[in-house]
Amino acid sequence: MRAIDQTPLFLGHAGNVRNLSSLHAAGIEIVVDLAAEESPAVLSRDLVYCRFPLLDGGDNPDWLLRLAVETVADAIRNNVPCLIGCSAGLSRTPAIAVFGLARGRSLSIEEALHRVSETGPVSISPGLWEQLRKFC
């Protein structure tokens, strides 16, 4: 799990989403689970759990992408510690983080991508990226 400086965002993978002790130690209050191929996580009832089953390609419903991005943007605006996770944490996780950060902090997509990329590896699916760019 890695933090994005000066934001309440944490990026991770399916294992991080399911690690209750790490979630509580980091002060996470919202978990945004993006992994369509993983089973839903079972978390403690004090955590908000939002599951948006996304795919890496460009075949996601636009409304589902918007809902995931707006959930993250709202967490940022309200300074609520939020973990975003998908299977490996390399494509869907950073993609939703970039667009959520751009909306939540009124940054350009390029600025938000730079902020997310400096925290660790990023390998965003071109199809997912293009689908996100269509509405942001």
Side-chain angles (χ1 to χ4, degrees):
M1 186 165 44
R2 60 191 205 234
I4 299 177
D5 285 341
Q6 300 174 6
T7 75
L9 289 183
F10 294 80
L11 308 183
H13 52 71
N16 300 129
V17 167
R18 288 152 179 77
N19 188 328
L20 281 175
S21 60
S22 292
L23 295 173
H24 288 290
I28 302 295
E29 294 182 37
I30 301 172
V31 175
V32 174
D33 185 354
L34 305 172
E37 66 282 358
E38 303 284 341
S39 297
V42 178
L43 302 176
S44 54
R45 56 183 147 167
D46 59 324
L47 293 171
V48 174
Y49 180 64
C50 302
R51 185 168 188 272
F52 305 102
L54 299 178
L55 302 170
D56 275 323
D59 299 327
N60 297 289
D62 288 343
W63 66 265
L64 188 60
L65 288 174
R66 282 187 200 100
L67 192 55
V69 168
E70 286 303 326
T71 298
V72 171
D74 202 45
I76 292 167
R77 286 183 206 107
N78 289 288
N79 204 35
V80 180
C82 176
L83 169 68
I84 308 167
C86 64
S87 287
L90 297 174
S91 180
R92 289 164 283 181
T93 295
I96 296 300
V98 165
F99 284 84
L101 184 58
R103 286 192 178 200
R105 290 281 168 88
S106 299
L107 301 174
S108 70
I109 298 301
E110 292 74 23
E111 277 181 280
L113 179 58
H114 176 73
R115 299 267 315 268
V116 170
S117 296
E118 63 187 9
T119 68
V122 170
S123 182
I124 300 172
S125 156
L128 176 61
W129 186 257
E130 286 309 310
Q131 190 179 12
L132 283 161
R133 285 196 65 99
K134 277 197 293 186
F135 72 86
C136 291

